[in-house]
Amino acid sequence: MPLSAAGGGQLLPVTPMLGVVTAVLLLAAVAVAGWGRLGHGRAVARAGLRAVVQLAAVAAVISWVVASLWWSVLFVLLMFSVAVRTAGRRMTPGPGWVWAAAPIGVGVLPVLLLLLGVGLLPPKGLSVIPVAGILIGGALSATSLAGRRALDELRQRRGEVEAALALGFEEREARLEICRTAAATSLVPALDQTRTVGLVTLPGAFVGMLLGGASPVQAGAVQLFVLIGLLAVESVAVVVVLELVTRGLVTAGPVDGVG
């Protein structure tokens, strides 16, 4: 049967052939990663298989989850918890990974509360879950990228940090001078997506609303909000990550810049 929206639109026909093509693409991704010696062949395979299992599980439970606001809140908390663990483990293998809750929470929560407070986001699971998922996903990416890049920069430029300390810089300021630019590059994907929207890509929110029967103007307005919201969330996440790293709350190990 075709994958269709309420407005009668169709994106892809959900047939056995779709499954076959998806499997072929996953095998191709694994093969290319292995052939190119990227070091992520197994990770690509695991990610693809996990996506299958997780999407199947979500598809099975989402209908009754969205029917209850409280169940929807619990589902959002589950998404948040998974995002914290994923981003935290990307940043550091040490116990400091739990601090990933700060940039993700500080970035996402105010935006959700603002939308609910002004009435733009109805307090219904069908509205809250997708918006929360988009924002949490953006914060996850920004947190993991900013944390990893900041820590890598501190490790590689340890001598410069020590030189700044010798010149009288406080430890936080010395670290910040070295890793701020590297961490800030984690905003590039969101910036590129926003700059090229409508010219290079038509993002999911836009296409989804069109398939659901919305007008192009309505779809464009919602997509614009999503992109700007993501820029705000990810900017906050990067700033918070920098504070965590420069204050030594998140470290890569015993040698990550100083100390």
Side-chain angles (χ1 to χ4, degrees):
M1 60 180 297
L3 175 62
S4 57
Q10 179 176 318
L11 183 59
L12 287 173
V14 181
T15 64
M17 182 56 67
L18 179 61
V20 172
V21 173
T22 302
V24 169
L25 290 174
L26 178 58
L27 290 174
V30 173
V32 171
W35 175 75
R37 298 181 181 179
L38 303 181
H40 293 292
R42 292 183 179 179
V44 170
R46 286 196 300 268
L49 295 175
R50 282 188 61 174
V52 172
V53 174
Q54 290 165 189
L55 286 174
V58 169
V61 303
I62 196 70
S63 59
W64 60 266
V65 167
V66 297
S68 166
L69 180 59
W70 293 113
W71 277 112
S72 298
V73 171
L74 290 176
F75 193 82
V76 170
L77 290 176
L78 173 63
M79 290 193 294
F80 173 77
S81 300
V82 173
V84 168
R85 181 171 178 80
T86 302
R89 289 303 189 187
R90 286 290 184 188
M91 286 195 297
T92 174
W97 69 265
V98 298
W99 282 104
I104 297 176
V106 172
V108 172
L109 186 59
V111 176
L112 284 179
L113 292 178
L114 173 64
L115 292 175
L116 290 168
V118 300
L120 285 175
L121 186 64
K124 298 178 181 179
L126 195 59
S127 301
V128 172
I129 290 177
V131 173
I134 291 171
L135 298 178
I136 291 173
L140 184 162
S141 297
T143 298
S144 60
L145 286 174
R148 188 70 268 151
R149 290 171 181 175
L151 291 171
D152 286 346
E153 196 77 355
L154 288 175
R155 184 168 51 247
Q156 294 168 8
R157 300 172 64 185
R158 183 182 183 186
E160 294 177 54
V161 176
E162 293 175 343
L165 291 173
L167 291 174
F169 281 76
E170 295 290 334
E171 185 170 330
R172 173 186 173 276
E173 283 69 27
R175 287 169 169 252
L176 190 59
E177 285 297 317
I178 298 303
C179 69
R180 176 163 36 202
T181 300
T185 61
S186 60
L187 288 175
V188 171
L191 288 169
D192 286 345
Q193 184 182 27
T194 304
R195 288 170 178 156
T196 61
V197 64
L199 299 176
V200 177
T201 60
L202 293 177
F206 183 85
V207 175
M209 288 200 66
L210 288 179
L211 291 175
S215 70
V217 173
Q218 291 173 319
V222 171
Q223 184 61 64
L224 177 62
F225 156 74
V226 169
L227 292 172
I228 301 302
L230 281 172
L231 283 177
V233 166
E234 294 186 29
S235 296
V236 170
V238 172
V239 170
V240 175
V241 167
L242 277 171
E243 284 298 315
L244 294 173
V245 170
T246 56
R247 293 178 184 275
L249 297 173
V250 175
T251 64
V255 180
D256 70 322
V258 288

